[in-house]
Structures are given as C-alpha cells and as structure tokens.
Amino acid sequence: MDKKFSIVIAGGGSTFTPGIVLMLLENLDKFPIRQIKFYDNLASRQKVIADACEIILKEKAPEIKFVATTDPETAFSDVDFVMAHIRVGLYAMREKDEKIPLKYGVIGQETCGPGGIAYGMRSIGGVLELIDYMEKYSPDAWMLNYSNPAAIVAEATRKLRPQAKIINICDMPVGIEERMAHAIGLKSRKEMEVRYYGLNHFGWWTGIYDHAGNDLMPQIKEHVAQYGYSLKEELEDKSSQHTDPSWMHTFAKAREVYAVDPTTLPNTYLKYYLYSQDEVEHADPNYTRANEVMDGREKHVFGECEKIVAKQTAAETSLEVDEHASYIVDLARAIAYNTHERMLLIVENNGALSNFEPTAMVEVPCIVGKNGPEPLVQGPIPRFQKGLMEQQVAVEKLVVEAWEEHSYQKLWQALTLSKIIPNARVAKQILDDLIEANKEFWPELS
Ligand code: NAD
Ligand code: G6P
Ligand code: MN
C-alpha cells in the first residue's frame, strides 16, 4: 500500500461531490490519495463546491494536493482514476424530462421511460468526451462512471468506445441492500452475498446469503411482503439522498412490485414500468423530483459550501460523509489492489445470462480485480423477466443507434417500445416536444 493515488472527479460541481470527498477522506487508510482534482464544464457552479472542498481538505488532509479546473488537460493528466458523475443539461433539463411526458399522462423520470431516453441522448456525448480526455492524458487510468442514465451510457460506451477502461456502477442496489440488512437485524449489507440479474434500474435479487451460506431470502421476503423496503426505524445515514418523502413512497411501493413475482426481490425502479399509471396519479405535474432536489439537496449543499467559504472553516458544517458512496472506494480498491471483491456492476452480458442477448449491458455480480470485472454466471432467466428485459434492452440499444445515426425514426421506435409509453402517437408527441426542449444538447435528428 505504498502508492498514493491521484483522482479526478468529473462533474466537480455535483451535489454529491462534497459527500464523496468527505467519504474519500474517511477512507484514506484503505485508499491513500496524493491528489484530488475537480473537473467540470461549468466554472461558476464548480467554484462554490471547490472553494469549500479546498478548505475541508486543508483542515483534514493538507498533504493532499487539490486542483479545480475546467481545462481537460490539467484535469485528466497524471490521474489513476476518473470518478465521473456529470449531469448534461443540469436540473433545468431534468425538470423538463420529468414534466414533458406528464403533459401526455406519461410518467417522467430521470432514468426511466421518456425522461431517461431524453437524458440519455444528452449524456452519451458528455461521457464519451470524458473517456477521450482520459485516454489522451492518462491512458492507464480507469473511469468509474455513475453518470446517468447508466444503462444507456453503458450501452453507448460498449458500442462506441469498446476498448475504454470504464466501469459503470449504480448505487441503488447498494442502498436497497443496506435496507434489507437493516430490516433483518444485520449491521451492514457487507454481511450478505447476493445473486442478482437485470439491466440497470431494472433488476431482481434471486438469492441472498450470509457468509456461512445460510439463505436470508425468506426473512427478507417476509419483510418486503409487508412493508416493501420501508423500515420501521429509518437509517441513520442522513447524508444519503434516499430520505425525502418521494423516496419513502418508492420504498413502500416495492411491496406491490414484489407481489408480481414473489420468487425474487425487485429493484425499486421497476415501479415505473409495472405501475406507471399509479406513478402518474401520484405525481404533481408542477412539482416533480427535480424541484424537490433543487429545493432540497442542491440548496443545502451549495448553502453549506457558501457558509464554509464565508467562515473559512468547515468545523461547523452539516455536510456529512456520504457513507453509502463508499462502494466507490471498494471499486477503486478492487482495481488498485486486486482485491477480487464481489460487486454488482453493469457489464456486457456475454453469457452471464445464458438465454439473453450476449451484447446487452446487464447488471450482475462481478469479481473485480486489477484487470477489471469478471461477471458471474446467473444462469438462464425466467420468461417474465426475460420478456421485460428484451423489450427494455431494445429501447436502450435503439436510443444509442438513434444518437449515432441521428435517426428520428429510431428514437421514435425507442419511445414507442418503452413499456411506459402507451402508443406510437403519444410517443411521437412526446418526442417532438423533447426535440424542441433539447435542441442545445441532442444531435440534430432527421
Ligand atoms: P449536478 O447537476 O448537481 O452535478 C452535475 C455536474 O456535472 C454539474 O456541475 C455540471 O456542470 C457538470 N457537467 C455537466 N455536463 C458536463 C460535461 N459535459 N463535462 C463536465 N461536467 C459536466 O447533478 P447531481 O444530482 O449531483 O448528479 C450527478 C450525476 O450523478 C447525475 O448523472 C446523476 O444521475 C448521477 N448519479 C448516479 C447515481 C447512480 O446510481 N449511478 C447515483 C447518484 C447520482
Ligand atoms: C438512486 C439511483 C441513481 C439516481 C438517484 C436519484 O441513487 O441509483 O441512479 O440518480 O437515485 O436521486 P435523486 O435524489 O437525484 O432523485
Ligand atoms: Mn442508479
């Protein structure tokens, strides 16, 4: 453990950046760092976060060199890891992704259905650009990407940058597993080993064991059948974003998602596909999750950063370590130290799901080491999940093809195929509105 690492956080101005920096500082004994750089394409937004983080670093780990920049060469030179969480179009565009479909009675969501497709069309170019910078300035580095919509981004990088050293990861299974562990009286999800398969934000647990190999599924199912992923006592990690009322609704709704297939345990995001209409009825078309986040997390994080700068100390800040983001350190460590940790990652199927499209980007447990992830075979998947996944993976592939070929037709097909959209006419109306709203960000379609 002699080597100290240099990392760049791409999307330095993200609301998650301070929590992740605090988390990295808390884990320096496990993952030593010599340099942290921030990179963003919006200097003014990044500056607020960077000025505060510079003070945090000075107080907690003055030996770590800190750089915040909008210059790709400065950002991407001399780094071992790129931790990427960009949001192309910011919350202003997320708000449109959520509100435009609702005008047509269709749920709008950050990563699912038409909202996710619109966001995907913006993200692909942004993430490819980060890969190109990394390959140019630090060709040996790895990118740990959690920029959304991860499913579409992962398919785009598989297809358009097949050699890239990028690993796509999502924190939702981590968050749900934390809740499962808590529900049955374990201290942490690390006491569990899981079998899981699906696409990103579209998957199921098929087995959960303790380290002695005992089956924990029956106990967890008993809880989920009654409460979904709601807990009698909420988790203490208030720094996690999964604490707002809309998330509490999502965790409770998992009970109904579970009922559709009680042989597995579902990812929370399946509610958008299996209960789309309920979500529309529950939504306020004038105040969506983007509004909740702008009024909540964004105000809080930026407000706290401004206070740190004004006081020139972080001694009294209410910014907290994002403990649940420590999965990012686990992943970086797995690569850096060849730990062979078992983690859920988004990787090319290639036989892991034996009866499913080999080129699909699937979310499955992998053993992670120095040379990247090795997926673990999860066997053939049952007809219900296979049917849903075939449809959804086709949507994701069509979006990437539409982006690459600038094809209106393929994007219309993608929207029409999405389980969330009722028919081709509504798909076209939503598409035409999304094109208008995304002029600045999407390739011109014809
Ligand atoms: P945010 O808007 O606060 O931060 C995103 C930052 O990215 C902004 O500062 C923005 O200026 C910057 N940015 C946008 N386009 C860029 C580009 N092309 N190059 C460089 N920087 C760019 O958003 P947030 O809510 O903090 O979320 C950040 C990202 O992390 C989102 O994509 C979100 O969906 C994702 N996320 C993913 C997971 C997961 O499970 N995979 C979990 C949490 C958040
Ligand atoms: C979960 C998902 C992420 C998503 C986030 C949204 O963590 O795994 O992919 O970005 O929730 O959270 P938000 O608080 O921004 O709605
Ligand atoms: Mn996710």
Side-chain angles (χ1 to χ4, degrees):
M1 288 240 314
D2 300 338
K3 182 174 172 175
K4 292 189 171 194
F5 297 96
S6 170
I7 63 170
V8 57
I9 299 182
S14 158
T15 54
F16 294 110
T17 298
I20 288 176
V21 167
L22 287 166
M23 181 277 297
L24 291 172
L25 295 180
E26 190 127 302
N27 284 283
L28 286 174
D29 55 333
K30 288 191 224 140
F31 184 66
I33 296 175
R34 68 177 161 87
Q35 173 167 253
I36 297 180
K37 303 200 237 188
F38 286 5
Y39 168 73
D40 206 287
N41 65 356
L42 185 54
S44 55
R45 184 178 177 90
Q46 174 165 269
K47 189 176 189 313
V48 182
I49 306 285
D51 288 352
C53 288
E54 191 169 16
I55 293 170
I56 293 174
L57 282 165
K58 271 204 191 111
E59 289 182 340
K60 291 190 186 259
E63 70 284 1
I64 296 177
K65 192 175 166 209
F66 178 70
V67 178
T69 179
T70 55
D71 172 48
E73 183 171 358
T74 311
F76 289 83
S77 299
D78 179 33
V79 295
D80 303 299
F81 290 98
V82 179
M83 298 180 176
H85 56 199
I86 61 168
R87 182 186 292 286
V88 178
L90 302 162
Y91 292 129
M93 290 308 299
R94 176 176 179 174
E95 185 179 9
K96 291 187 184 171
D97 294 344
E98 292 168 351
K99 290 183 177 173
I100 289 171
L102 278 173
K103 285 204 299 186
Y104 301 95
V106 173
I107 195 67
Q109 208 281 325
E110 183 192 22
T111 61
C112 303
I117 291 172
Y119 186 16
M121 290 289 286
R122 294 195 300 276
S123 267
I124 293 171
V127 173
L128 293 185
E129 190 178 67
L130 299 181
I131 290 177
D132 293 345
Y133 292 145
M134 176 175 87
E135 293 192 332
K136 182 165 179 198
Y137 298 115
S138 284
D140 294 329
W142 281 88
M143 183 180 298
L144 314 181
N145 179 60
Y146 32 103
S147 311
N148 268 319
I152 292 170
V153 166
E155 168 62 11
T157 57
R158 179 196 70 81
K159 192 159 181 230
L160 304 172
R161 295 294 185 277
Q163 304 305 326
K165 287 165 78 177
I166 176 173
I167 300 181
N168 294 288
I169 188 162
C170 170
D171 69 353
M172 195 72 251
V174 170
I176 296 171
E177 285 171 19
E178 242 357 299
R179 305 182 81 82
M180 291 172 173
H182 196 82
I184 61 167
L186 302 179
K187 279 202 193 67
S188 125
R189 71 183 170 91
K190 298 240 172 162
E191 292 176 46
M192 312 189 313
E193 272 169 35
V194 309
R195 292 181 61 81
Y196 180 99
Y197 67 82
L199 310 169
N200 178 236
H201 290 184
F202 205 97
W204 295 265
W205 283 266
T206 57
I208 302 177
Y209 306 92
D210 66 16
H211 291 313
N214 299 307
D215 187 1
L216 302 174
M217 281 288 263
Q219 261 178 291
I220 300 174
K221 282 182 179 176
E222 210 176 299
H223 179 94
V224 178
Q226 243 186 311
Y227 308 105
Y229 296 122
S230 304
L231 296 174
K232 284 176 220 152
E233 265 172 71
E234 258 314 307
L235 297 177
E236 273 169 32
D237 183 12
K238 294 286 177 220
S239 64
S240 153
Q241 82 268 36
H242 301 141
T243 51
D244 285 334
S246 56
W247 275 106
M248 294 303 125
H249 172 261
T250 295
F251 293 131
K253 190 76 181 175
R255 186 177 67 89
E256 290 168 66
V257 181
Y258 166 72
V260 183
D261 177 23
T263 67
T264 57
L265 287 162
N267 193 297
T268 45
Y269 278 92
L270 287 161
K271 75 169 185 172
Y272 294 107
Y273 301 90
L274 303 186
Y275 293 97
S276 325
Q277 216 47 47
D278 296 13
E279 291 305 308
V280 174
E281 278 155 31
H282 188 260
D284 177 348
N286 299 311
Y287 196 84
T288 59
R289 177 67 186 154
N291 301 108
E292 204 175 50
V293 172
M294 286 187 272
D295 290 342
R297 183 171 71 239
E298 190 182 40
K299 278 216 172 87
H300 173 244
V301 170
F302 280 77
E304 282 302 304
C305 285
E306 279 158 5
K307 275 193 225 158
I308 290 172
V309 174
K311 294 185 186 159
Q312 286 294 300
T313 171
E316 284 158 22
T317 186
S318 66
L319 291 175
E320 281 180 80
V321 179
D322 189 349
E323 266 159 33
H324 105 293
S326 60
Y327 70 91
I328 299 167
V329 163
D330 294 337
L331 180 56
R333 273 176 52 80
I335 295 168
Y337 303 122
N338 207 24
T339 65
H340 296 130
E341 174 138 356
R342 180 174 168 141
M343 304 185 76
L344 287 187
L345 299 174
I346 305 159
V347 292
E348 186 162 354
N349 179 22
N350 205 13
L353 310 180
S354 52
N355 58 345
F356 193 63
E357 166 77 53
T359 69
M361 292 303 281
V362 295
E363 198 163 271
V364 289
C366 299
I367 300 295
V368 194
K370 198 172 166 37
N371 298 305
E374 290 178 66
L376 296 171
V377 171
Q378 299 298 296
I381 58 177
R383 194 176 307 285
F384 174 63
Q385 279 82 1
K386 186 166 185 283
L388 288 165
M389 283 166 61
E390 296 278 9
Q391 180 181 25
Q392 179 60 18
V393 85
V395 171
E396 291 160 7
K397 284 179 176 290
L398 279 167
V399 173
V400 173
E401 288 172 21
W403 185 87
E404 194 185 357
E405 299 164 25
H406 298 191
S407 168
Y408 180 97
Q409 200 73 37
K410 286 198 170 170
L411 201 57
W412 183 20
Q413 289 173 355
L415 288 155
T416 302
L417 193 56
S418 173
K419 186 167 165 53
I420 289 176
I421 299 181
N423 63 53
R425 177 179 48 76
V426 173
K428 193 168 198 309
Q429 288 171 316
I430 294 176
L431 174 57
D432 290 338
D433 277 17
L434 288 174
I435 289 176
E436 186 57 31
N438 281 280
K439 268 194 200 136
E440 245 186 271
F441 303 101
W442 287 9
E444 197 176 330
L445 305 178
S446 55

